[in-house]
Amino acid sequence: MKTGYAFKNCNIIYGEAEKGIDQGLTMLTGPDGLIQEIGKAGDVAVPSYYQTIDVAGKYIMPGLINAHVHLFADGKPFALSASEGLLNFAFHHILDTSLGRRILKKRMKKNALTALHAGVTTMRSVGEFFYNDVQLRDEIQAGQFVGPNLLVSGYFLSVTGGHGAPYLALTGDSPWEARKNVRINVKNGVDLIKICVTGGVTDAKMVGEAGRLQMTEEEVAAVCDEAHKIGIRVAAHVESTEGVRIALRGGVDTIEHGAEMDEEIIHLYKNNPKALQGYTALIPTLQAAYPTARLDVSLTKASATVKENSRLVYDSMLKGLQQAVEHGVKIGVGTDAAMSYVTHYDLWRELDHMMRRTKLNASQVIEMVTKVNAEILGMDHLTGSIEIGKYADLIVMERNPLEDIQALSDAAMVMVRGRLITAPSVTRIQEVDELLDRVWSIQE
Ligand SMILES: [Zn+2]
């Protein structure tokens, strides 16, 4: 049932670092799902039919935005070294059957709801099978169930033999084939285009292959031109410096993962005339590489090749993030949820990681995971901060995340577009949590 709510005694963190925190306010959210009014208790007239919720002693802030997820898996470690023959068999005999597709879609829905109950009110999914992501987004928008705001990419675009190919990617080997693949994804209803400019850790067969160039600058430029002319963004999977250079020159809107920068690269991030907004943002995914890069293979079960590639990618990605902070490159937050050891519910771990390895503080990373992410995704007119007229996408926490970022792991209430979840419940993966809780003390 759609109703309005009056939150009383709010301690509000707006999602804007310079605004800090305001105490003792009343906030109204309307039956239309928007934030309606914020003010001192005596100044706000609460309609009699609104439900009143006293949040005294708690903290309220914008819902989290995860800018890089995959819904097809939940973060339980999978055997990263699965052979091609096994994958081939699994795809054709299990996944790509009508039963397989139904099971997959159910899992994707479950993962989206796990994220929502953990306070993630907006997710950008960057690579899925069969356009199940498009269907889920449409079901949520049609009100068939209460889910997070979803931005979806459908299949990756890759080159023959490239990252994610053939199961997770449409492949093409020229600018025109790349354009055609953009058109196929657009026809199927995607919100953005995800391309693989270099190889990736999950399917690299030898050390150094993860960052190897796969797309050409001409192919990247063709994809960006085709996407930008209808106003949609291009996200680029890149795991090496030369890959970042090609992607930026081609005009992508976000670099996913990233790598060490040089002067040309820093300049192009900040001023990229071919990107939709005139700049390119960096979305590192530290947690996706870190456990495999740093922990012994006896714990992670990763092959020696995967571990070494993870280490190479992590070290360069971290350097890139540190340079981005230093040089004022726009930085968003994503986790690569679905990868081994990256769940849909613990976005705070990525923020904690950023704070441990850069000079960023809690109010800065909170702004990045809310307002800045919304800007990068082109949704800042809708969500990402607590402002009258924006979606009532909110989380309520028992503790102050500005004092302890882990407070984000325990949402007392979640609201998405005005729909309130009063007792969020998240099924955690114990073996993953236990390992990640210890990761900073047992690293090599
Ligand atoms: Zn990813």
Side-chain angles (χ1 to χ4, degrees), residues 258-272:
E260 189 170 354
M261 307 174 183
D262 59 20
E263 251 175 66
E264 182 200 8
I265 287 174
I266 292 167
H267 179 76
L268 271 174
Y269 266 113
K270 298 178 74 165
N271 179 10
N272 192 342

Side-chain angles (χ1 to χ4, degrees), residues 99-142:
L99 177 67
R101 289 181 184 213
R102 271 206 308 281
I103 291 171
L104 177 65
K105 196 170 150 212
K106 256 193 173 163
R107 269 176 47 179
M108 290 168 67
K109 179 174 172 179
K110 186 167 167 246
N111 291 332
L113 293 178
T114 294
L116 177 63
H117 280 243
V120 179
T121 52
T122 301
M123 308 172 87
R124 187 178 66 151
S125 151
V126 287
E128 306 283 354
F129 301 94
F130 315 125
Y131 304 108
N132 275 338
D133 51 350
V134 174
Q135 284 179 31
L136 272 186
R137 178 205 62 198
D138 290 348
E139 288 170 13
I140 292 168
Q141 278 185 359

Side-chain angles (χ1 to χ4, degrees), residues 16-17 24-25 29 35 82 113 115 117 119 126 130 137 186 197 285-286 303 313 403 407 412 439:
E16 294 175 60
L25 299 180
T29 66
I35 296 169
L113 293 178
H117 280 243
V126 287
F130 315 125
R137 178 205 62 198
V186 168
V197 175
T285 59
L286 301 172
S303 71
V313 165
E403 283 164 12
V439 74

Side-chain angles (χ1 to χ4, degrees), residues 68 70 126 156 194 257 336 339:
H68 188 128
H70 305 272
V126 287
F156 289 169
K194 166 78 179 294
H257 318 301
D336 221 348
M339 297 301 107

Side-chain angles (χ1 to χ4, degrees), residues 396-438:
V396 178
M397 287 147 297
E398 300 286 352
R399 293 180 298 132
N400 184 353
L402 294 172
E403 283 164 12
D404 176 7
I405 201 73
Q406 195 176 348
L408 293 174
S409 74
D410 193 15
M413 280 180 251
V414 180
M415 176 175 269
V416 63
R417 294 171 88 162
R419 303 296 195 94
L420 185 66
I421 300 167
T422 48
S425 88
V426 172
T427 307
R428 296 180 162 264
I429 307 167
Q430 206 184 343
E431 59 171 310
V432 170
D433 289 4
E434 280 173 5
L435 190 81
L436 294 180
D437 285 343
R438 294 193 300 146

Side-chain angles (χ1 to χ4, degrees), residues 10 112 126 141 163 234 251 273 291 295 308 356-357 372 375 383 393 425-426:
C10 296
V126 287
Q141 278 185 359
H163 185 47
V234 177
L295 298 177
E308 181 59 9
R356 285 172 188 266
R357 288 289 188 252
V372 176
E375 283 167 21
T383 190
D393 291 345
S425 88
V426 172

